[in-house]
């Protein structure tokens, strides 16, 4: 049992927190670098490439919904994770600490919840799939019939189906982030002070 817990910790829990820590550390390092280089003004413009990277990461979602037919889903998922992470990093540096920008902070908050939701889905869904397949493999090796296998894995299959529904939460959070980010962008264009 200790080996299973250690495996779960190493394969799922630690990578999840390391991903979040890398995002926070990368944000702090990039922001500190801009301050040391006396180039804090660059942070004001990092939101643009950040949003573009996040938009570019949507290829995976479009492929899953059959809006596009090109690209392998596994490759697109890999790019989705990397591009969304990099875009989020740039947006967090862009956000800085401006407590008077309520709309921007709501958008950043929704983005952070979206990141946590995406990482949770990635690690939780992968772990559930692996556990279900390991159980099925073990039961097949014991010589169970397909009906017995179905009966023995019923609750695990049901749990896996529920875990797969994490997207039901992830998609509305993504939509909330998108709406808040768009409202922030529109507000910037309206109040920028184009002289």
């Amino acid at each position: 049992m200790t080996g299973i817990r250690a495996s779960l910790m190493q394969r799922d829990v630690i990578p999840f927190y390391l991903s979040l820590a890398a995002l926070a550390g990368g944000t702090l390092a990039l922001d500190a670098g801009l301050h040391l280089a006396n180039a804090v003004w660059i942070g004001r413009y990092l939101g643009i490439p950040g949003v573009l990277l996040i938009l570019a990461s949507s290829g995976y979602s479009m492929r899953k919904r059959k809006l596009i037919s090109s690209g392998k889903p596994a490759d697109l998922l890999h790019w989705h994770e990397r591009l969304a992470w990099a875009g989020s990093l740039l947006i967090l540096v862009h956000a800085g600490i401006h407590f008077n920008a309520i709309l921007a902070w709501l958008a950043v908050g929704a983005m952070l919840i979206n990141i946590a939701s995406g990482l949770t889905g990635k690690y939780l869904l992968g772990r559930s799939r692996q556990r279900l397949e390991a159980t099925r493999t073990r039961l097949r090796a014991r010589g169970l019939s397909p009906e017995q296998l179905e009966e023995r894995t019923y609750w695990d299959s049901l749990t896996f189906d529920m875990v797969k529904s994490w997207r039901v939460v992830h998609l509305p959070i993504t939509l909330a982030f998108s709406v808040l980010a768009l409202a922030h962008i529109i507000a910037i264009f309206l109040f920028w002070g184009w002289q």
Side-chain angles (χ1 to χ4, degrees):
M1 186 62 112
T2 305
I4 291 172
R5 271 188 254 145
S7 173
L8 175 64
M9 184 66 75
Q10 290 171 346
R11 285 193 303 187
D12 300 314
V13 177
I14 292 172
F16 173 78
Y17 285 111
L18 285 177
S19 296
L20 290 177
L23 183 61
T27 300
L28 292 172
L30 185 55
D31 191 55
L34 290 174
H35 278 82
L36 289 172
N38 211 15
V40 177
W41 61 272
I42 292 173
R44 183 176 190 182
Y45 300 98
L46 289 180
I48 296 166
V51 167
L52 293 175
L53 285 170
I54 289 174
L55 288 174
S57 79
S58 66
Y60 171 70
S61 299
M62 292 191 305
R63 176 73 165 95
K64 273 185 59 180
R65 286 161 188 75
K66 296 180 177 35
L67 297 173
I68 61 171
S69 58
S70 61
K72 295 178 185 175
D75 292 341
L76 291 173
L77 177 60
H78 173 79
W79 282 106
H80 169 73
E81 293 167 354
R82 301 304 183 269
L83 291 172
W85 189 92
S88 298
L89 172 77
L90 295 178
I91 288 172
L92 287 171
V93 173
H94 164 74
I97 301 179
H98 308 286
F99 293 107
N100 61 335
I102 302 300
L103 184 59
W105 274 102
L106 287 173
V108 167
M111 182 186 72
L112 290 172
I113 293 168
N114 197 25
I115 292 166
S117 168
L119 289 173
T120 299
K122 173 185 176 180
Y123 292 110
L124 189 59
L125 189 59
R127 178 67 178 164
S128 298
R129 181 179 288 119
Q130 289 171 355
R131 187 176 197 98
L132 180 59
E133 280 308 311
T135 301
R136 285 180 177 158
T137 301
R138 190 178 71 247
L139 293 174
R140 276 189 206 106
R142 289 185 186 169
L144 269 65
S145 70
E147 294 79 23
Q148 291 172 318
L149 183 65
E150 179 78 25
E151 185 180 318
R152 289 276 187 96
T153 60
Y154 173 76
W155 290 108
D156 286 345
S157 296
L158 189 64
T159 303
F160 178 67
D161 289 342
M162 285 191 304
V163 169
K164 282 195 321 189
S165 68
W166 73 271
R167 289 180 184 97
V168 173
V169 173
H170 187 63
L171 291 176
I173 293 170
T174 301
L175 181 61
F177 164 60
S178 301
V179 168
L180 288 167
L182 184 61
H184 170 66
I185 291 166
I186 291 169
I188 292 300
F189 278 112
L190 290 175
F191 302 110
W192 184 282
W194 305 89
Q195 288 136 341

